[in-house]
Amino acid sequence: MNDLHSFSWYAARIKKHMPIEAFKPVPRRLLGGLTYLVITISCFFVIGLVELHPLINLGISIIIGCSFAGLGFLGHEILHGTVVRKSWLRDLLGAIAFWPLSTGPQLWRKWHNLNHHVHTQHDENDPDAWPTLERISKLKVFRWIYNLPLSIRAFFAFASLAVQFTAHSLKMFTVYVKEFKPRKQPEVWLQTILPWMTWIGLIFLIGFTKWLFAFLIPLLIANFIVMAYISTNHRLNPLTPVNDPLANSLTVTVPKWVDTIHFNFSYHTEHHLFPGMNPKYYPIVKQHIKTMWPERYHEMPMTQALIALWQTPRVYFEHNELIDPMNKNAYGSLGNKLDPKAILPRKLTDK
């Protein structure tokens, strides 16, 4: 990894080929969020006011869950400043979009914008990076977990995608709330507590059974959808000492209609190069990357990336390999002998 470049190095070479409009805020993208909001509220009323068969309620739960996820993707975009630029309006709209996922806008910008984006895949500074073997070996509970067979760990890891975003968000709150200035901390607390008060209060309004269909099941579905992307964004890539998006990020491919309803969230390498760009232009950025650095760019169908995640452990060894602590088998990461076009990741050596 001696030829790594910073994201700004790539961005400077691509930006001159991009239209000025790509970097302007696009308030009309809020129409997508408004659609999701109307769908969500309408479904709440249907579940709350009408006695329906549980299977019908489950179908409505899926619709709500997909809307929760869509709002989360838009909230991510809003808080990067690509929709509106006024800080108070950005935070207000971001708070509304992230309300179903109960993540406050100031916490998100601290955790995601200022730490994950700046220190992507750095083994110590990226709050979203997975641990190294050296770190994991010091934790007794994780040593016990990694004594289980990989197939069992993979099953529970995929099942946990249904709660991972919510759990990690709460963890990030405990990590970062104390880093805010004392006068800002009450606001950060409020942004975290208010959504949970809303959702817990909903139990008393519609009853526990209907609350399961209106909120809890949709939350699990939204977590899974969001984490299906987030888990493939970087977890097959190596840890890197330099924030090089072509080395440490993966773009997944999904059907065009999915890109439309998920605000082009699949273009993750492109997003790390230009987090403040209108995602509508990410396909153009992708074309430029593939023209300039085709051998460095990583893309993979979403299903293929999820299969690769299932069949590889989530512990790093020497930054560019993934190792199974149980049997010391090592697997390549992207750019390090893991072929992005192969359905199955290739086992390398026994350590």
Side-chain angles (χ1 to χ4, degrees):
M1 295 190 290
N2 295 325
D3 57 345
L4 297 177
H5 302 289
S6 69
F7 69 93
S8 59
W9 186 90
Y10 295 106
R13 285 155 177 77
I14 295 177
K15 187 174 182 179
K16 58 188 177 184
H17 300 291
M18 299 300 299
I20 297 175
E21 292 75 18
F23 300 94
K24 293 182 178 179
V26 191
R28 67 177 177 273
R29 291 180 74 80
L30 292 171
L31 292 175
L34 180 61
T35 301
Y36 281 129
L37 196 59
V38 170
I39 291 173
T40 298
I41 293 173
S42 299
C43 289
F44 281 170
F45 275 109
V46 171
I47 290 176
L49 299 177
V50 183
E51 296 299 327
L52 298 170
H53 191 278
L55 288 178
I56 297 177
N57 278 335
L58 181 60
I60 297 174
S61 292
I62 294 172
I63 295 173
I64 298 173
C66 292
S67 297
F68 280 4
L71 284 167
F73 292 134
L74 180 60
H76 167 258
E77 186 176 330
I78 290 170
L79 292 174
H80 271 297
T82 66
V83 179
V84 294
R85 291 283 165 80
K86 289 186 177 180
S87 59
W88 69 268
L89 184 58
R90 175 202 62 205
D91 280 3
L92 174 62
L93 294 172
I96 293 171
F98 268 122
W99 205 272
L101 296 173
S102 301
T103 302
Q106 293 198 48
L107 171 64
W108 178 259
R109 287 191 288 107
K110 176 76 171 177
W111 151 29
H112 180 77
N113 295 18
L114 299 180
N115 284 278
H116 170 65
H117 267 271
V118 174
H119 305 292
T120 308
Q121 286 295 86
H122 188 282
D123 60 341
E124 294 182 358
N125 298 330
D126 182 1
D128 298 339
W130 278 72
T132 61
L133 181 62
E134 181 181 4
R135 287 174 57 192
I136 212 81
S137 63
K138 298 175 182 178
L139 304 174
K140 291 182 179 180
V141 62
F142 285 103
R143 286 207 302 271
W144 177 83
I145 291 173
Y146 281 96
N147 278 329
L148 297 172
L150 178 58
S151 58
I152 295 177
R153 279 180 273 135
F155 173 80
F156 284 104
F158 266 67
S160 73
L161 294 180
V163 298
Q164 270 191 33
F165 186 89
T166 297
H168 193 54
S169 179
L170 291 172
K171 177 185 176 183
M172 292 298 98
F173 173 77
T174 63
V175 169
Y176 288 117
V177 66
K178 57 183 175 292
E179 294 188 12
F180 286 90
K181 294 180 180 179
R183 62 183 179 83
K184 280 286 187 181
Q185 288 184 15
E187 188 175 348
V188 177
W189 272 92
L190 195 62
Q191 290 175 0
T192 298
I193 292 172
L194 276 180
W196 283 111
M197 289 178 62
T198 302
W199 302 124
I200 293 171
L202 189 63
I203 298 176
F204 301 97
L205 187 63
I206 64 175
F208 181 75
T209 301
K210 291 189 174 185
W211 179 82
L212 292 177
F213 290 108
F215 175 69
L216 185 58
I217 294 174
L219 180 64
L220 298 177
I221 293 169
N223 264 268
F224 192 91
I225 293 171
V226 170
M227 289 306 303
Y229 282 102
I230 293 176
S231 63
T232 56
N233 290 162
H234 308 288
R235 295 181 186 179
L236 292 170
N237 297 81
L239 299 174
T240 55
V242 176
N243 187 1
D244 184 331
L246 269 65
N248 62 31
S249 301
L250 170 67
T251 286
V252 293
T253 55
V254 295
K256 181 62 179 177
W257 67 270
V258 177
D259 269 334
T260 299
I261 65 174
H262 290 165
F263 302 95
N264 275 0
F265 194 81
S266 65
Y267 291 86
H268 205 71
T269 301
E270 296 77 6
H271 172 65
H272 271 259
L273 286 178
F274 296 105
M277 177 185 285
N278 177 357
K280 170 187 172 182
Y281 292 90
Y282 284 159
I284 300 176
V285 175
K286 179 176 182 175
Q287 291 174 7
H288 286 303
I289 296 173
K290 295 181 77 169
T291 298
M292 297 178 183
W293 309 283
E295 74 288 351
R296 297 179 61 83
Y297 183 70
H298 299 303
E299 65 175 326
M300 194 184 297
M302 169 71 88
T303 52
Q304 185 177 314
L306 290 171
I307 290 170
L309 280 174
W310 180 281
Q311 298 195 347
T312 53
R314 300 272 71 76
V315 180
Y316 283 98
F317 178 70
E318 295 182 350
H319 294 81
N320 59 5
E321 288 183 335
L322 297 162
I323 192 166
D324 187 344
M326 179 183 180
N327 53 26
K328 306 303 181 185
N329 287 336
Y331 301 74
S333 58
L334 288 174
N336 297 278
K337 301 182 182 179
L338 174 61
D339 183 357
K341 293 183 175 61
I343 294 178
L344 300 179
R346 183 165 63 91
K347 183 185 290 189
L348 296 181
T349 57
D350 290 328
K351 299 292 181 182

